[in-house]
Amino acid sequence: MHTFAFLFNPVDLKQIREFWPLTRLMPDFFIKSFLKGQEFKISHLKTFKSSRNKEIQGYLIVLPLLPEQMVELDEELVLDKIITASYLARDLKAELLGLGGYAAVIADKKPMLYKHLKTSVTSGTSFTAWSIIEALHRLAKTKNINFKKSTLAIIGASSSLGSLCARKLSPNFEKIILSSKQKNTLELLRKNIQEENPIEIQIAEDANKAAKNADIIITAASAERDSVFNIEEVKPNAVILDICPFHHIAAKINHRQDITVVEGGIVKLPLQPHSQMNMGLPKDMVCASLAETMILTFEEKFATCSLGENINVDKLESIADLAVRHGFEIFVPGAPVL
Protein backbone atom coordinates (compact mmCIF):
# COMPACT_ATOMS: atom_id res chain seq x y z
CA MET A 1 0.00 0.00 0.00
CA HIS A 2 1.36 3.40 -0.96
CA THR A 3 1.88 6.00 1.76
CA PHE A 4 1.83 9.79 1.92
CA ALA A 5 2.61 12.33 4.64
CA PHE A 6 1.19 15.80 5.10
CA LEU A 7 2.83 18.68 6.98
CA PHE A 8 0.15 20.57 8.88
CA ASN A 9 0.10 23.31 11.49
CA PRO A 10 -3.00 23.87 13.68
CA VAL A 11 -4.98 26.99 12.82
CA ASP A 12 -6.16 27.87 16.33
CA LEU A 13 -5.83 27.04 20.03
CA LYS A 14 -8.68 24.52 19.84
CA GLN A 15 -6.67 22.39 17.44
CA ILE A 16 -3.52 22.86 19.51
CA ARG A 17 -5.37 21.43 22.51
CA GLU A 18 -6.39 18.40 20.44
CA PHE A 19 -2.81 17.54 19.50
CA TRP A 20 -1.14 18.64 22.76
CA PRO A 21 -3.66 17.80 25.54
CA LEU A 22 -1.40 19.28 28.22
CA THR A 23 -2.23 22.75 26.86
CA ARG A 24 -5.83 22.30 28.05
CA LEU A 25 -4.53 23.09 31.52
CA MET A 26 -2.64 26.20 30.41
CA PRO A 27 -3.81 29.82 30.08
CA ASP A 28 -3.97 31.00 26.47
CA PHE A 29 -1.14 33.51 26.84
CA PHE A 30 1.33 30.78 27.86
CA ILE A 31 0.60 28.29 25.08
CA LYS A 32 2.74 29.93 22.37
CA SER A 33 5.80 29.82 24.63
CA PHE A 34 5.06 26.19 25.46
CA LEU A 35 4.83 25.24 21.78
CA LYS A 36 8.29 26.58 20.99
CA GLY A 37 9.82 23.70 22.94
CA GLN A 38 7.70 20.95 21.40
CA GLU A 39 8.58 18.41 18.72
CA PHE A 40 6.51 17.46 15.70
CA LYS A 41 3.46 15.35 16.48
CA ILE A 42 2.75 12.42 14.15
CA SER A 43 -0.78 11.13 13.64
CA HIS A 44 -1.58 8.03 11.56
CA LEU A 45 -4.51 8.62 9.17
CA LYS A 46 -5.09 4.91 8.47
CA THR A 47 -6.54 3.79 5.13
CA PHE A 48 -8.33 5.71 2.39
CA LYS A 49 -10.08 4.19 -0.63
CA SER A 50 -10.79 5.93 -3.92
CA SER A 51 -13.82 5.35 -6.15
CA ARG A 52 -11.53 3.15 -8.25
CA ASN A 53 -10.99 0.89 -5.22
CA LYS A 54 -7.37 1.90 -4.78
CA GLU A 55 -6.16 2.09 -1.19
CA ILE A 56 -3.54 4.32 0.40
CA GLN A 57 -2.54 5.30 3.92
CA GLY A 58 -1.17 8.53 5.32
CA TYR A 59 0.30 10.43 8.23
CA LEU A 60 -0.16 13.94 9.56
CA ILE A 61 3.10 15.54 10.61
CA VAL A 62 1.90 18.32 12.90
CA LEU A 63 3.99 21.44 13.47
CA PRO A 64 3.66 22.86 17.01
CA LEU A 65 3.04 26.38 15.70
CA LEU A 66 0.01 28.59 15.08
CA PRO A 67 -0.32 30.46 11.73
CA GLU A 68 0.77 33.77 13.24
CA GLN A 69 3.88 32.08 14.68
CA MET A 70 4.70 30.63 11.27
CA VAL A 71 4.47 34.07 9.67
CA GLU A 72 6.72 35.57 12.35
CA LEU A 73 9.46 32.99 11.69
CA ASP A 74 12.34 33.71 9.35
CA GLU A 75 11.74 31.96 6.03
CA GLU A 76 14.92 29.94 6.43
CA LEU A 77 13.59 28.50 9.70
CA VAL A 78 10.35 27.49 7.97
CA LEU A 79 12.38 25.83 5.21
CA ASP A 80 14.39 23.98 7.85
CA LYS A 81 11.18 22.65 9.39
CA ILE A 82 9.99 21.44 5.97
CA ILE A 83 13.30 19.63 5.46
CA THR A 84 13.03 18.05 8.91
CA ALA A 85 9.48 16.93 8.09
CA SER A 86 10.78 15.26 4.91
CA TYR A 87 13.16 13.14 7.03
CA LEU A 88 10.23 12.13 9.23
CA ALA A 89 8.17 11.32 6.13
CA ARG A 90 10.95 9.14 4.78
CA ASP A 91 11.15 7.25 8.08
CA LEU A 92 7.39 6.66 7.86
CA LYS A 93 7.93 5.15 4.38
CA ALA A 94 5.96 7.98 2.79
CA GLU A 95 6.54 8.43 -0.94
CA LEU A 96 5.11 11.95 -1.14
CA LEU A 97 5.06 14.86 1.31
CA GLY A 98 2.23 17.38 1.02
CA LEU A 99 2.56 20.86 2.49
CA GLY A 100 -0.25 22.84 4.08
CA GLY A 101 -0.74 26.44 5.19
CA TYR A 102 2.21 28.80 5.41
CA ALA A 103 4.73 26.00 4.76
CA ALA A 104 3.25 25.66 1.27
CA VAL A 105 3.54 29.42 0.70
CA ILE A 106 7.23 29.46 1.61
CA ALA A 107 7.97 26.33 -0.42
CA ASP A 108 6.41 27.95 -3.50
CA LYS A 109 8.82 30.87 -3.05
CA LYS A 110 11.78 28.46 -2.90
CA PRO A 111 11.02 25.74 -5.48
CA MET A 112 14.62 24.46 -5.48
CA LEU A 113 13.89 23.29 -1.93
CA TYR A 114 12.95 19.89 -3.34
CA LYS A 115 16.66 19.14 -3.85
CA HIS A 116 17.13 19.13 -0.08
CA LEU A 117 14.15 16.92 0.74
CA LYS A 118 14.08 13.17 1.31
CA THR A 119 10.73 12.70 -0.42
CA SER A 120 8.90 14.13 -3.40
CA VAL A 121 6.79 17.13 -2.43
CA THR A 122 3.69 19.09 -3.43
CA SER A 123 2.37 22.38 -2.07
CA GLY A 124 -1.11 21.43 -3.27
CA THR A 125 -1.48 24.83 -4.95
CA SER A 126 -2.89 23.46 -8.23
CA PHE A 127 -5.86 21.70 -6.68
CA THR A 128 -6.39 24.52 -4.18
CA ALA A 129 -6.66 26.99 -7.06
CA TRP A 130 -9.02 24.67 -8.91
CA SER A 131 -11.19 24.32 -5.80
CA ILE A 132 -11.57 28.12 -5.63
CA ILE A 133 -12.49 28.36 -9.30
CA GLU A 134 -14.99 25.51 -9.03
CA ALA A 135 -16.52 27.07 -5.89
CA LEU A 136 -16.84 30.41 -7.66
CA HIS A 137 -18.65 28.89 -10.62
CA ARG A 138 -21.07 27.08 -8.32
CA LEU A 139 -21.80 30.24 -6.35
CA ALA A 140 -22.33 32.15 -9.57
CA LYS A 141 -24.94 29.62 -10.65
CA THR A 142 -26.71 29.77 -7.28
CA LYS A 143 -26.75 33.59 -7.11
CA ASN A 144 -27.19 34.31 -10.82
CA ILE A 145 -23.89 36.18 -11.03
CA ASN A 146 -22.77 37.27 -14.49
CA PHE A 147 -18.97 37.29 -14.50
CA LYS A 148 -18.81 39.49 -17.59
CA LYS A 149 -20.62 42.22 -15.68
CA SER A 150 -18.61 41.74 -12.48
CA THR A 151 -15.32 42.95 -11.05
CA LEU A 152 -13.04 40.39 -9.42
CA ALA A 153 -10.48 41.37 -6.77
CA ILE A 154 -7.70 38.99 -5.78
CA ILE A 155 -6.08 39.92 -2.48
CA GLY A 156 -2.61 38.40 -2.40
CA ALA A 157 -2.37 38.12 -6.18
CA SER A 158 1.43 37.96 -6.07
CA SER A 159 1.31 34.56 -4.33
CA SER A 160 1.45 31.36 -6.37
CA LEU A 161 -2.18 30.67 -5.50
CA GLY A 162 -3.37 34.20 -6.26
CA SER A 163 -1.47 34.28 -9.55
CA LEU A 164 -2.96 30.96 -10.67
CA CYS A 165 -6.48 32.17 -9.92
CA ALA A 166 -5.88 35.44 -11.77
CA ARG A 167 -4.48 33.72 -14.86
CA LYS A 168 -7.22 31.08 -15.00
CA LEU A 169 -10.17 33.39 -14.27
CA SER A 170 -9.14 36.41 -16.35
CA PRO A 171 -10.99 35.37 -19.55
CA ASN A 172 -14.28 35.24 -17.61
CA PHE A 173 -14.39 38.73 -16.11
CA GLU A 174 -14.95 42.25 -17.35
CA LYS A 175 -12.40 43.66 -14.91
CA ILE A 176 -9.86 42.33 -12.41
CA ILE A 177 -8.14 44.11 -9.51
CA LEU A 178 -4.83 42.61 -8.37
CA SER A 179 -3.79 43.47 -4.83
CA SER A 180 -0.47 42.88 -3.08
CA LYS A 181 2.40 44.83 -1.53
CA GLN A 182 4.67 43.49 -4.30
CA LYS A 183 3.81 45.97 -7.05
CA ASN A 184 6.54 44.85 -9.46
CA THR A 185 5.28 41.27 -9.34
CA LEU A 186 1.74 42.47 -10.04
CA GLU A 187 2.88 44.56 -12.98
CA LEU A 188 4.50 41.49 -14.52
CA LEU A 189 1.39 39.40 -13.83
CA ARG A 190 -0.81 42.04 -15.45
CA LYS A 191 1.41 42.13 -18.53
CA ASN A 192 1.34 38.32 -18.86
CA ILE A 193 -2.44 38.14 -18.51
CA GLN A 194 -3.12 40.96 -20.96
CA GLU A 195 -0.95 39.32 -23.59
CA GLU A 196 -3.51 36.50 -23.61
CA ASN A 197 -6.67 38.42 -22.63
CA PRO A 198 -6.85 42.18 -23.28
CA ILE A 199 -9.15 42.93 -20.32
CA GLU A 200 -9.02 45.79 -17.84
CA ILE A 201 -6.67 44.99 -14.95
CA GLN A 202 -6.02 47.41 -12.11
CA ILE A 203 -3.33 47.16 -9.44
CA ALA A 204 -4.03 48.18 -5.85
CA GLU A 205 -1.37 47.82 -3.17
CA ASP A 206 -4.04 48.56 -0.56
CA ALA A 207 -6.34 45.57 0.05
CA ASN A 208 -9.16 47.82 1.24
CA LYS A 209 -9.19 49.78 -2.02
CA ALA A 210 -9.31 46.56 -4.02
CA ALA A 211 -12.07 44.98 -1.94
CA LYS A 212 -14.48 47.92 -1.89
CA ASN A 213 -14.55 48.13 -5.70
CA ALA A 214 -15.17 44.43 -6.34
CA ASP A 215 -18.25 42.24 -6.68
CA ILE A 216 -16.26 39.07 -5.99
CA ILE A 217 -13.22 38.91 -3.69
CA ILE A 218 -10.69 36.10 -3.38
CA THR A 219 -8.36 36.38 -0.39
CA ALA A 220 -5.14 34.47 -1.08
CA ALA A 221 -2.69 36.55 0.98
CA SER A 222 -0.26 34.57 3.14
CA ALA A 223 0.05 37.26 5.82
CA GLU A 224 -3.00 38.48 7.74
CA ARG A 225 -1.91 42.12 7.59
CA ASP A 226 -1.96 41.96 3.78
CA SER A 227 -5.51 40.59 3.61
CA VAL A 228 -7.31 43.00 5.96
CA PHE A 229 -10.00 45.19 4.50
CA ASN A 230 -12.96 47.09 5.90
CA ILE A 231 -16.04 44.89 5.63
CA GLU A 232 -18.24 48.00 5.97
CA GLU A 233 -17.01 49.29 2.61
CA VAL A 234 -17.57 46.09 0.66
CA LYS A 235 -20.25 46.31 -2.04
CA PRO A 236 -23.78 45.08 -1.24
CA ASN A 237 -24.27 41.36 -2.03
CA ALA A 238 -20.54 40.81 -2.56
CA VAL A 239 -19.15 37.26 -2.61
CA ILE A 240 -15.93 36.52 -0.71
CA LEU A 241 -13.90 33.33 -1.07
CA ASP A 242 -11.57 33.20 1.90
CA ILE A 243 -8.54 31.01 1.21
CA CYS A 244 -5.88 32.70 3.38
CA PRO A 245 -4.52 30.66 6.34
CA PHE A 246 -6.29 32.80 8.94
CA HIS A 247 -9.93 32.60 7.75
CA HIS A 248 -10.75 35.69 9.80
CA ILE A 249 -13.37 37.28 7.57
CA ALA A 250 -16.49 35.30 8.49
CA ALA A 251 -16.26 36.44 12.11
CA LYS A 252 -16.57 40.09 11.02
CA ILE A 253 -19.74 39.99 8.94
CA ASN A 254 -22.45 39.27 11.52
CA HIS A 255 -24.25 42.52 10.65
CA ARG A 256 -23.69 42.24 6.88
CA GLN A 257 -26.18 39.52 6.01
CA ASP A 258 -26.06 40.54 2.35
CA ILE A 259 -22.45 39.35 1.99
CA THR A 260 -21.64 35.71 1.19
CA VAL A 261 -18.39 34.40 2.68
CA VAL A 262 -17.20 30.91 1.78
CA GLU A 263 -14.10 29.26 3.21
CA GLY A 264 -12.44 27.96 0.07
CA GLY A 265 -10.25 24.96 -0.54
CA ILE A 266 -12.41 22.30 1.12
CA VAL A 267 -12.77 18.89 -0.51
CA LYS A 268 -15.03 15.93 0.28
CA LEU A 269 -13.28 12.58 0.43
CA PRO A 270 -14.53 9.73 -1.78
CA LEU A 271 -16.67 6.76 -0.80
CA GLN A 272 -16.62 5.50 2.76
CA PRO A 273 -16.83 7.48 6.00
CA HIS A 274 -13.47 8.38 7.53
CA SER A 275 -12.32 9.08 11.04
CA GLN A 276 -12.16 12.69 12.21
CA MET A 277 -8.68 14.10 11.53
CA ASN A 278 -8.71 17.05 13.95
CA MET A 279 -8.05 19.54 11.16
CA GLY A 280 -10.93 21.86 12.00
CA LEU A 281 -13.13 20.70 9.09
CA PRO A 282 -16.40 18.75 8.95
CA LYS A 283 -16.24 14.95 8.92
CA ASP A 284 -14.97 13.47 5.66
CA MET A 285 -13.61 16.86 4.53
CA VAL A 286 -9.98 17.82 3.97
CA CYS A 287 -8.17 20.90 2.71
CA ALA A 288 -7.44 20.91 -1.02
CA SER A 289 -3.67 20.69 -0.52
CA LEU A 290 -4.09 17.43 1.43
CA ALA A 291 -6.54 16.21 -1.21
CA GLU A 292 -3.95 16.85 -3.94
CA THR A 293 -1.38 14.86 -1.95
CA MET A 294 -3.82 11.95 -1.68
CA ILE A 295 -4.83 12.12 -5.35
CA LEU A 296 -1.20 11.98 -6.49
CA THR A 297 -0.59 9.04 -4.16
CA PHE A 298 -3.59 7.18 -5.61
CA GLU A 299 -2.10 7.84 -9.04
CA GLU A 300 1.37 6.76 -7.89
CA LYS A 301 2.76 10.07 -9.14
CA PHE A 302 5.69 10.47 -6.79
CA ALA A 303 7.49 13.31 -8.54
CA THR A 304 7.62 16.84 -7.13
CA CYS A 305 4.46 18.64 -8.22
CA SER A 306 2.70 22.02 -7.76
CA LEU A 307 5.79 23.78 -6.51
CA GLY A 308 6.92 27.28 -7.47
CA GLU A 309 5.41 30.68 -8.18
CA ASN A 310 4.82 30.07 -11.90
CA ILE A 311 2.81 26.86 -11.96
CA ASN A 312 1.46 26.01 -15.40
CA VAL A 313 -2.28 26.75 -15.58
CA ASP A 314 -2.79 23.45 -17.45
CA LYS A 315 -2.00 21.61 -14.20
CA LEU A 316 -5.34 22.77 -12.81
CA GLU A 317 -7.31 20.83 -15.42
CA SER A 318 -5.03 17.83 -15.01
CA ILE A 319 -5.40 17.56 -11.22
CA ALA A 320 -9.15 18.25 -11.49
CA ASP A 321 -9.53 15.31 -13.89
CA LEU A 322 -7.63 13.04 -11.50
CA ALA A 323 -9.81 14.21 -8.61
CA VAL A 324 -12.97 13.24 -10.49
CA ARG A 325 -11.36 9.94 -11.48
CA HIS A 326 -10.89 9.03 -7.80
CA GLY A 327 -14.14 10.45 -6.45
CA PHE A 328 -13.02 13.67 -4.74
CA GLU A 329 -15.57 16.51 -4.76
CA ILE A 330 -15.20 20.24 -4.13
CA PHE A 331 -17.36 21.22 -1.16
CA VAL A 332 -19.27 24.52 -1.27
CA PRO A 333 -22.00 24.95 1.38
CA GLY A 334 -25.36 25.63 -0.22
CA ALA A 335 -24.10 25.48 -3.80
CA PRO A 336 -25.06 22.76 -6.31
CA VAL A 337 -22.62 20.30 -7.83
CA LEU A 338 -22.03 21.23 -11.47
Side-chain angles (χ1 to χ4, degrees), residues 61-181:
I61 300 176
V62 188
L63 265 168
L65 293 169
L66 289 161
E68 58 266 32
Q69 291 177 288
M70 290 285 285
V71 172
E72 290 166 1
L73 284 179
D74 182 84
E75 288 186 2
E76 293 301 319
L77 292 176
V78 177
L79 293 171
D80 185 62
K81 291 184 180 298
I82 295 171
I83 293 169
T84 301
S86 77
Y87 278 85
L88 293 173
R90 179 198 62 183
D91 294 343
L92 294 167
K93 304 293 190 289
E95 296 152 287
L96 180 66
L97 173 65
L99 305 177
Y102 193 61
V105 174
I106 296 302
D108 276 335
K109 291 181 180 179
K110 308 282 187 178
M112 300 309 290
L113 167 72
Y114 78 91
K115 292 187 175 182
H116 302 282
L117 303 183
K118 297 302 177 182
T119 58
S120 297
V121 64
T122 178
S123 68
T125 302
S126 295
F127 197 45
T128 302
W130 179 263
S131 73
I132 297 170
I133 293 162
E134 175 78 359
L136 189 53
H137 280 285
R138 291 192 196 176
L139 288 168
K141 184 175 182 179
T142 302
K143 297 181 174 297
N144 297 315
I145 298 171
N146 185 344
F147 288 163
K148 286 297 183 182
K149 295 182 178 179
S150 302
T151 296
L152 170 68
I154 300 178
I155 313 289
S158 62
S159 67
S160 178
L161 179 58
S163 171
L164 263 179
C165 290
R167 285 182 280 145
K168 183 65 176 179
L169 287 168
S170 59
N172 299 311
F173 282 86
E174 176 186 55
K175 176 181 174 183
I176 292 181
I177 304 172
L178 305 176
S179 176
S180 169
K181 301 297 184 185

Side-chain angles (χ1 to χ4, degrees), residues 183-248:
K183 187 176 180 180
N184 290 340
T185 302
L186 296 186
E187 292 285 3
L188 181 59
L189 177 59
R190 174 164 63 180
K191 179 182 177 182
N192 291 339
I193 291 174
Q194 289 183 326
E195 285 176 355
E196 299 284 336
N197 305 292
I199 65 169
E200 181 181 353
I201 299 178
Q202 292 184 357
I203 289 177
E205 293 182 64
D206 177 33
N208 195 60
K209 182 178 179 181
K212 73 179 184 181
N213 291 309
D215 304 291
I216 299 170
I217 303 164
I218 295 174
T219 65
S222 58
E224 186 171 21
R225 64 181 180 275
D226 296 334
S227 64
V228 173
F229 54 86
N230 186 353
I231 206 76
E232 299 294 339
E233 297 186 12
V234 172
K235 282 185 176 183
N237 303 311
V239 172
I240 304 173
L241 281 89
D242 186 15
I243 197 64
C244 72
F246 303 92
H247 296 302
H248 62 286

Side-chain angles (χ1 to χ4, degrees), residues 225-297:
R225 64 181 180 275
D226 296 334
S227 64
V228 173
F229 54 86
N230 186 353
I231 206 76
E232 299 294 339
E233 297 186 12
V234 172
K235 282 185 176 183
N237 303 311
V239 172
I240 304 173
L241 281 89
D242 186 15
I243 197 64
C244 72
F246 303 92
H247 296 302
H248 62 286
I249 295 172
K252 298 180 180 179
I253 65 159
N254 292 334
H255 56 294
R256 286 294 306 268
Q257 299 302 315
D258 59 306
I259 297 175
T260 300
V261 177
V262 173
E263 182 179 334
I266 301 177
V267 179
K268 188 177 187 300
L269 293 169
L271 292 182
Q272 79 282 17
H274 302 278
S275 58
Q276 183 66 34
M277 288 184 280
N278 296 328
M279 296 183 70
L281 297 174
K283 192 173 185 293
D284 298 339
M285 305 289 176
V286 296
C287 60
S289 50
L290 173 53
E292 178 172 314
T293 308
M294 297 170 70
I295 291 164
L296 294 173
T297 304

Side-chain angles (χ1 to χ4, degrees), residues 18 25 33 174 230 241 319:
E18 290 288 333
L25 305 175
S33 296
E174 176 186 55
N230 186 353
L241 281 89
I319 194 68

